[in-house]
Amino acid sequence: MPDSSKNSEHSPRRYPRWLDNAYYDLSGAARGDPHSDLIPVEEACMRVAAEDVKAPGPVPRVSYSLRRGYAVRAVDTVRATSTHPVHLQKESRAGYRKTGGDPAANPLRPGECQAVHAGIPLPENADAVRYTPPEVTDEVTVPIVDKLKVTAPVREGDNARLPGEDYARGATLVTRGTRITPEIHAVLIAAGVFTVPVYRRPRVGVVLSSYDAVPPANVEHAWQRPDSMSGYARSLLARWGYATPSVEWLAPLGPMVSSDTTRKTQEATEARETEGQQEPQAAQEAYREQLLDLMSRYDLLIGVGMPADAAMLANGLGGPVSCFAHGQEHVHFDNTKDRGFICGLGDDRTAPVISKRRDPVYRSESSTEIARYDSSFSYDRAIVLNVPGHTPEVATVMQLFVPRLLDSMEGVAQPGPVWQKGTLASPITRHALEHRFLWGVAHTDESGRVVIQVSDDQEGLSLNAFATSNALVTIRNGEGQIAAGECVDYLSLA
């Protein structure tokens, strides 16, 4: 990914300071510059620009009327006064519809004007519009109805959008590392851009690896959890524009739940034991082969299903068997060692360094003098997140970290998520050691402030606050309470 750290001291902080360590631990996972492709502009919405995209021509390319009135040449009106008006000949040749909107098909000659409506190209040679209020019918005319009476100069550009007024030819429409929003996408198309260099999107998969969480249709016992975690993860990824296939299943080693899938695994295990095979070694090898297969098909794997316990987490996705050439990082985010997730990096799937490039960085006061060269590399390896806990806990990691990781994998210069500020509607208790992450409801009051209602009674298994929330709020550790009306950081879930 492009190294945005070089400009970090000049960039605004986009997240609470106490997430520094967790974001730093995660930052090494997406090192390298993603591969890029040249795609049609029609397919570029929500992709990330791999290079600066310049305007191939002026925007707009011709002059447009902004208001109803008469298209004129400003030079023809410079001498107009109330005592010595200028009379312009009304052009009566074929209008906008008959010429198909082609300005050159109906050019304006000196001393002429032409009736126009708002939002259409001006006839060739026209550079302004003499506005005609809707209620005015004949104040702009003289007794001779084919003349327009002008009593004051019309300036060039009045009530008109001139060529290049939005963007000059060669102007930067989108910078490298910027996600192409629908608005930017519309500008690229309007500017006449045909193809856009974009970074490749990561292939994202969601994996269920659990003893007690099973697909809802396979629940057979009260102690089995209907798997709502993987469905939530897939739905959230879809909201962010990442289509994910059906949930993958990777049976953890050890005791299995009695769904159809795991029953077959149990039976196979029992058969191997009967035959005198060494179960641990055989099972681990089968597990490893399945995990490596998943890592060959996805760039990012999000595993759910294990309880939020450090010992149990080691048995989740990728825990029991080492498939990670670059190791695993246990990322903590609440200022304790009890809460977190595991991030693992697979081996490079082609060459350790696929490509190396040196990009010039120009001096701020010059467009030609190079200050330095920034090197960038491309890698091709899978990233695996082992996310523990029940749905609200999985959702916290998804909201806090997955957008940042996806942005980094896709080359976004300033990866998200972007936090906002709001005020508490009621007091919230601090925890002495750990930072709290609470689900709340944010709304805008009559004064325009964002006010957040947060329940103080929340824990990882609670679904009530999670189900009705539209904001994820952080409460920094400390003593006592944060009073109502005080400012807190929050993420909008809309």
Side-chain angles (χ1 to χ4, degrees):
M1 60 177 258
D3 188 358
S4 58
S5 63
K6 298 181 179 66
N7 300 317
S8 59
E9 60 185 73
H10 303 294
S11 302
R13 178 174 294 277
R14 296 156 59 91
Y15 57 87
R17 185 176 297 278
W18 55 92
L19 285 173
D20 268 340
N21 289 337
Y23 279 163
Y24 177 80
D25 290 341
L26 197 65
S27 64
R31 286 179 182 170
D33 205 17
H35 293 285
S36 61
D37 297 305
L38 193 64
I39 66 172
V41 67
E42 292 82 4
E43 302 173 9
C45 190
M46 299 312 295
R47 301 292 294 273
V48 179
E51 301 290 347
D52 291 357
V53 180
K54 309 287 187 179
V59 182
R61 292 182 288 179
V62 298
S63 298
Y64 280 83
S65 61
L66 296 179
R67 307 182 80 176
R68 170 185 179 269
Y70 288 93
V72 301
R73 298 179 349 130
V75 68
D76 291 338
T77 69
V78 292
R79 296 172 181 262
T81 64
S82 57
T83 55
H84 295 87
V86 170
H87 300 104
L88 301 177
Q89 179 70 38
K90 292 181 181 179
E91 175 55 44
S92 59
R93 287 179 292 176
Y96 171 76
R97 287 178 294 179
K98 291 185 179 180
T99 62
D102 181 4
N106 199 13
L108 205 60
R109 293 191 291 260
E112 292 181 342
C113 64
Q114 186 178 136
V116 292
H117 296 282
I120 67 172
L122 295 182
E124 193 171 272
N125 303 326
D127 55 16
V129 173
R130 168 65 155 78
Y131 173 57
T132 306
E135 66 276 7
V136 175
T137 56
D138 56 8
E139 84 168 39
V140 296
T141 65
V142 291
I144 306 174
V145 294
D146 60 348
K147 295 281 189 179
L148 173 68
K149 179 181 177 181
V150 182
T151 58
V154 180
R155 295 174 300 177
E156 180 180 353
D158 277 358
N159 303 312
R161 180 70 65 186
L162 301 181
E165 200 164 311
D166 281 326
Y167 299 95
R169 179 180 180 181
T172 300
L173 303 176
V174 58
T175 58
R176 177 188 177 193
T178 300
R179 193 171 294 281
I180 299 172
T181 63
E183 293 75 21
I184 295 175
H185 189 229
V187 169
L188 294 175
I189 294 174
V193 174
F194 293 107
T195 57
V196 183
V198 297
Y199 290 119
R200 291 183 189 175
R201 303 213 84 172
R203 300 166 297 171
V204 186
V206 177
V207 184
L208 176 62
S209 183
S210 179
Y211 298 118
D212 63 332
V214 298
N218 293 342
V219 173
E220 298 176 0
H221 306 286
W223 57 269
Q224 292 177 324
R225 290 188 289 160
D227 170 36
S228 58
M229 299 162 292
S230 59
Y232 172 83
R234 291 183 72 231
S235 298
L236 197 57
L237 289 164
R239 181 190 297 176
W240 295 335
Y242 297 88
T244 59
S246 300
V247 176
E248 303 275 3
W249 165 254
L250 181 61
L253 298 174
M256 304 294 178
V257 296
S258 55
S259 64
D260 289 342
T261 302
T262 54
R263 184 182 293 111
K264 294 177 182 179
T265 305
Q266 283 179 311
E267 292 171 354
T269 300
E270 291 170 0
R272 286 196 298 268
E273 288 176 341
T274 301
E275 295 171 4
Q277 298 181 10
Q278 293 184 349
E279 154 58 18
Q281 183 177 354
Q284 287 194 10
E285 185 58 34
Y287 180 96
R288 184 175 186 277
E289 289 179 2
Q290 293 179 62
L291 180 55
L292 288 175
D293 174 66
L294 290 170
M295 292 168 66
S296 71
R297 293 189 279 121
Y298 296 102
D299 302 307
L300 173 63
L301 277 173
I302 301 173
V304 298
M306 283 294 171
D309 175 82
M312 294 296 293
L313 181 58
N315 294 326
L317 182 68
V321 182
S322 176
C323 290
F324 306 109
H326 299 274
Q328 299 184 62
E329 181 75 39
H330 199 148
V331 180
H332 302 278
F333 57 92
D334 67 351
N335 205 40
T336 74
K337 296 297 183 183
D338 296 328
R339 193 174 187 183
F341 60 95
I342 290 177
C343 177
L345 293 178
D347 202 354
D348 298 309
R349 289 176 290 199
T350 51
V353 178
I354 295 174
S355 64
K356 177 179 179 180
R357 50 187 268 179
R358 299 178 73 236
D359 300 311
V361 176
Y362 296 97
R363 298 189 184 278
S364 58
E365 67 278 4
S366 172
S367 60
T368 58
E369 189 176 356
I370 297 175
R372 68 176 188 273
Y373 286 91
D374 285 348
S375 297
S376 58
F377 301 85
S378 294
Y379 297 92
D380 181 21
R381 61 194 182 201
I383 301 174
V384 178
L385 298 186
N386 187 357
V387 183
H390 288 254
T391 305
E393 297 166 309
V394 171
T396 299
V397 173
M398 290 292 298
Q399 295 285 353
L400 287 176
F401 298 101
V402 175
R404 188 171 191 84
L405 186 54
L406 287 169
D407 279 355
S408 298
M409 294 176 72
E410 206 172 348
V412 175
Q414 291 189 333
V418 178
W419 291 77
Q420 303 177 61
K421 296 285 187 181
T423 56
L424 290 174
S426 55
I428 292 294
T429 303
R430 295 178 188 266
H431 285 181
L433 298 178
E434 68 183 70
H435 307 309
R436 303 184 70 187
F437 297 88
L438 304 176
W439 304 98
V441 177
H443 70 278
T444 304
D445 66 9
E446 295 179 354
S447 66
R449 295 185 311 164
V450 175
V451 179
I452 308 172
Q453 183 67 53
V454 185
S455 168
D456 209 354
D457 182 22
Q458 292 186 42
E459 40 79 23
L461 300 180
S462 175
L463 288 171
N464 285 336
F466 168 71
T468 57
S469 64
N470 65 1
L472 178 59
V473 183
T474 68
I475 304 297
R476 190 168 186 174
N477 65 336
E479 301 294 335
Q481 290 185 324
I482 299 181
E486 287 198 35
C487 190
V488 292
D489 295 297
Y490 78 97
L491 279 178
S492 173
L493 308 183

